[in-house]
């Protein structure tokens, strides 16, 4: 999904013609491949949560990883939709431009559902005891993809609600990143994180 999202940014850099269209096509193909794989893995995670509970407290931050492919899918759909005019003739360019929103908005909704699940489990576990580990870095990249996906939707729709959501997610990302960076630095300095 990262390749699909970043590959879309390379589309305008290629000369018009077959090479540009091929990259565009491959990026959409990578989007589909990784989206199906993400849904399969998310279904397995959801089933495991339902059957076996949340597991050890130290593993709770990894629930946020599911946001990675969801947020990146929204980002990729918007990035690819924005490049459709450069790679395809009409009416396909319009269709793929629309696909960025048609796919991005429902995926964003599912990402919000997962934010609710992950946040609820994280807060509940933190009240009991959420030990620090390097797994806490799971709070950063996935939330970052949600920021880029929400920002893409906001740019393409002009929705104030999405602009506000993008800023709030970005603030949450900054807080998470700073918290984890400081805790990692302390853990390395004290040697706790370096023990086998």
């Amino acid at each position: 999904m990262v390749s699909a999202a970043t590959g879309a940014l390379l589309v305008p850099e290629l000369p018009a013609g077959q090479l540009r269209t091929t990259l565009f096509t491959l990026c959409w193909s990578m989007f589909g491949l990784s989206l199906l794989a993400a849904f399969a893995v998310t279904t397995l995670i959801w089933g495991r949560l339902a059957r076996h509970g949340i597991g050890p407290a130290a593993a709770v931050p990894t629930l946020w990883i599911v946001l990675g492919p969801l947020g990146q899918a929204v980002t990729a759909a918007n990035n690819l939709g924005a490049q459709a005019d450069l790679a395809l003739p009409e009416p396909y360019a319009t269709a793929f431009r629309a696909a960025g929103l048609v796919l991005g908005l429902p995926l964003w909704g599912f990402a919000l559902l997962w934010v609710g699940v992950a946040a609820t489990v994280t807060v509940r576990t933190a009240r009991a005891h959420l030990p620090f580990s390097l797994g806490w870095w799971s709070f950063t990249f996935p939330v970052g993809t949600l920021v880029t996906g929400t920002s893409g939707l906001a740019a393409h729709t002009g929705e104030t609600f999405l602009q506000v959501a993008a800023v709030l997610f970005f603030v949450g990302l900054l807080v998470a990143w700073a918290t984890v960076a400081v805790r990692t630095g302390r853990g390395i300095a004290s040697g706790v994180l370096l023990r086998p």
Side-chain angles (χ1 to χ4, degrees):
M1 197 60 78
V2 173
S3 296
T6 55
L9 302 177
L10 296 175
V11 168
E13 304 303 322
L14 294 177
Q18 192 61 46
L19 192 57
R20 183 183 283 178
T21 303
T22 299
L23 178 61
F24 183 79
T25 303
L26 289 174
C27 287
W28 272 108
S29 299
M30 287 184 282
F31 171 86
L33 170 75
S34 53
L35 186 62
L36 290 175
F39 280 147
V41 171
T42 302
T43 302
L44 293 172
I45 293 169
W46 198 288
R48 181 164 175 75
L49 282 172
R51 284 190 302 277
H52 304 291
I54 60 171
V60 165
T62 62
L63 288 175
W64 290 83
I65 293 174
V66 172
L67 281 180
L70 293 175
Q72 197 68 1
V74 176
T75 303
N78 276 283
N79 288 356
L80 286 164
Q83 305 304 334
D85 291 333
L86 299 175
L88 297 174
E90 289 298 341
Y92 306 109
T94 299
F96 274 92
R97 192 172 48 253
L101 287 177
V102 171
L103 294 169
L105 287 170
L107 287 169
W108 189 75
F110 184 56
L112 291 184
L113 171 68
W114 197 266
V115 166
V117 169
T120 300
V121 171
T122 302
V123 168
R124 194 176 99 196
T125 304
R127 285 182 180 157
H129 176 62
L130 182 59
F132 179 76
S133 70
L134 292 177
W136 278 37
W137 283 101
S138 300
F139 293 129
T140 58
F141 173 77
V143 176
T145 66
L146 193 58
V147 170
T148 59
T150 307
S151 298
L153 287 173
H156 288 108
T157 63
E159 285 280 333
T160 303
F161 167 73
L162 290 169
Q163 294 169 358
V164 171
V167 169
L168 292 175
F169 286 136
F170 184 66
V171 169
L173 173 63
L174 291 177
V175 169
W177 201 95
T179 301
V180 176
V182 167
R183 301 273 317 254
T184 300
R186 285 183 190 158
I188 290 171
S190 70
V192 171
L193 291 178
L194 302 177
R195 293 183 196 139

